[in-house]
Amino acid sequence: MPKSVIVHHVTKTYKMYSKNSEKLLDLLSPRSHGKSFYALQDISFDANEGDVVGIIGVNGSGKSTLSNIIAGIIPPTSGSVEVHGETALIAIQSGLKGELSGRENIELKCLMLGFNKRQIKEMTPQIIEFADIGDFIDQPVKSYSSGMKSRLGFAISIHIDPDILVIDEALSVGDQTFADKCLDKMNEFKARGKTIFFISHSITQMKAFCEKALWIQYGQVEQYGPMENVMPEYEKFIKKYKKMTKEEKKAFQNSVRQKRMIEA
Ligand SMILES: Nc1ncnc2c1ncn2[C@@H]1O[C@H](COP(=O)(O)OP(=O)(O)OP(=O)(O)O)[C@@H](O)[C@H]1O
């Protein structure tokens, strides 16, 4: 099976400042100020065409950072991502422009992806119908609820027909009817052999939809393989973590945080 995504030693660090003056010093002086933090550390894996990969991990482990890097929204600090085909990210904050109306956002996104005016004219009614947000389509997106933004974002991304679809928690904010409609579309994509990365807090959705699981644990790959192998291990970890006392949890989190800090 041909590879569609190859992630090679990807690291993403963010600067952390304890006060504003530190940030200013870091900008102005040649010496580095503040600490850096590994959001992702040396991530390597690949996906084949037709793979449906669930990205799992506890809060803050780096799932959204990774999905943004795969979709080309943010660059890695080091390492590389090789993507064969067009990628689309569907996330709650999926880059819609708040000042523009839903209709204008459809046009802008399609223009940015290289569609011509005629194609956009053809696609727009289908996108509007799928989003199903009524008259809001002509209102500025900043007046939308998170569910409405997600509907519009999903509708646009699915209709531009990407080769690689990255879905980050976008189904968590809509209602069940819309989630079912999206799952139908995602199954259609799956059947057409497209690559899908799926992030969801619903383990049931993960198990039902994904064949592979990529477990990110505090910025690193803990396990990658068939869902039926990885998910039980992840669930074991969650169970063990939940059983810890408050103090044990705190100590564990501190030790993990420490490992992700890089001194200036
Ligand atoms: N722009 C940023 N600046 C600084 N730190 C960031 C930034 N974006 C993410 N981080 C940090 O990187 C780590 C990974 O964040 P990320 O949002 O990727 O995790 P996640 O697994 O998606 O979490 P969740 O399940 O809570 O959405 C977190 O500790 C987060 O605080």
Side-chain angles (χ1 to χ4, degrees):
M1 198 51 97
K3 302 230 174 292
S4 54
V5 176
I6 304 167
V7 174
H8 193 63
H9 297 296
V10 160
T11 289
K12 181 75 186 177
T13 57
Y14 284 113
K15 243 358 206 325
M16 289 188 36
Y17 304 102
S18 50
K19 40 190 189 293
N20 276 339
S21 57
E22 204 171 53
K23 190 171 179 179
L24 200 64
L25 264 175
D26 195 37
L27 281 171
L28 299 175
S29 93
R31 199 170 73 77
S32 176
H33 290 264
K35 290 175 179 167
S36 291
F37 175 84
Y38 284 115
L40 296 173
Q41 193 175 0
D42 200 20
I43 301 270
S44 292
F45 69 93
D46 49 48
N48 298 328
E49 282 176 13
D51 272 351
V52 182
V53 182
I55 305 179
I56 54 177
V58 297
N59 288 140
S61 53
K63 304 179 297 294
S64 293
T65 307
L66 181 60
S67 59
N68 276 299
I69 290 177
I70 296 172
I73 309 289
I74 56 169
T77 308
S78 61
S80 64
V81 180
E82 198 182 317
V83 171
H84 299 280
E86 198 70 60
T87 313
L89 171 72
I90 307 179
I92 299 168
Q93 299 299 338
S94 57
L96 297 169
K97 300 263 175 278
E99 300 299 322
L100 302 182
S101 70
R103 197 184 294 274
E104 288 163 339
N105 265 287
I106 296 173
E107 189 174 351
L108 180 68
K109 202 129 189 196
C110 294
L111 278 174
M112 277 162 57
L113 283 160
F115 290 95
N116 62 35
K117 287 264 182 195
R118 186 187 50 79
Q119 289 168 316
I120 297 172
K121 208 172 161 193
E122 252 173 54
M123 287 158 77
T124 303
Q126 298 163 28
I127 297 175
I128 293 175
E129 197 193 325
F130 191 92
D132 195 16
I133 54 171
D135 292 342
F136 271 95
I137 199 68
D138 290 307
Q139 297 304 309
V141 163
K142 65 180 177 203
S143 68
Y144 288 16
S145 68
S146 56
M148 286 158 73
K149 279 186 218 162
S150 172
R151 278 168 173 263
L152 181 62
F154 203 103
I156 298 174
S157 302
I158 213 98
H159 283 88
I160 56 175
D161 202 25
D163 307 295
I164 298 140
L165 194 58
V166 187
I167 305 163
D168 184 356
E169 288 291 354
L171 297 192
S172 329
V173 286
D175 53 50
Q176 195 52 46
T177 324
F178 187 69
D180 289 343
K181 195 159 108 171
C182 293
L183 277 167
D184 282 350
K185 270 278 172 203
M186 282 151 62
N187 276 318
E188 227 176 78
F189 261 63
K190 196 168 150 177
R192 286 165 61 206
K194 309 237 175 190
T195 308
I196 305 178
F197 292 93
F198 186 52
I199 302 177
S200 165
H201 276 109
S202 157
I203 289 185
T204 321
Q205 256 179 15
M206 280 282 175
K207 284 182 181 166
F209 186 63
C210 307
E211 284 121 26
K212 286 185 177 175
L214 175 68
W215 175 10
I216 304 289
Q217 179 85 321
Y218 306 112
Q220 293 178 304
V221 174
E222 182 73 23
Q223 284 190 24
Y224 180 45
M227 180 60 75
E228 64 270 27
N229 297 352
V230 179
M231 190 55 104
E233 294 300 314
Y234 176 63
E235 287 181 299
K236 243 189 257 170
F237 164 78
I238 298 289
K239 218 167 155 186
K240 204 168 109 193
Y241 181 77
K242 278 188 180 157
K243 272 197 187 145
M244 286 183 193
T245 63
K246 230 176 170 178
E247 287 72 34
E248 283 171 335
K249 274 185 190 155
K250 218 173 181 173
F252 177 74
Q253 278 168 356
N254 279 340
S255 81
V256 166
R257 207 165 292 137
Q258 223 48 50
K259 279 188 214 151
R260 292 176 88 176
M261 298 301 293
I262 317 157
E263 293 295 329

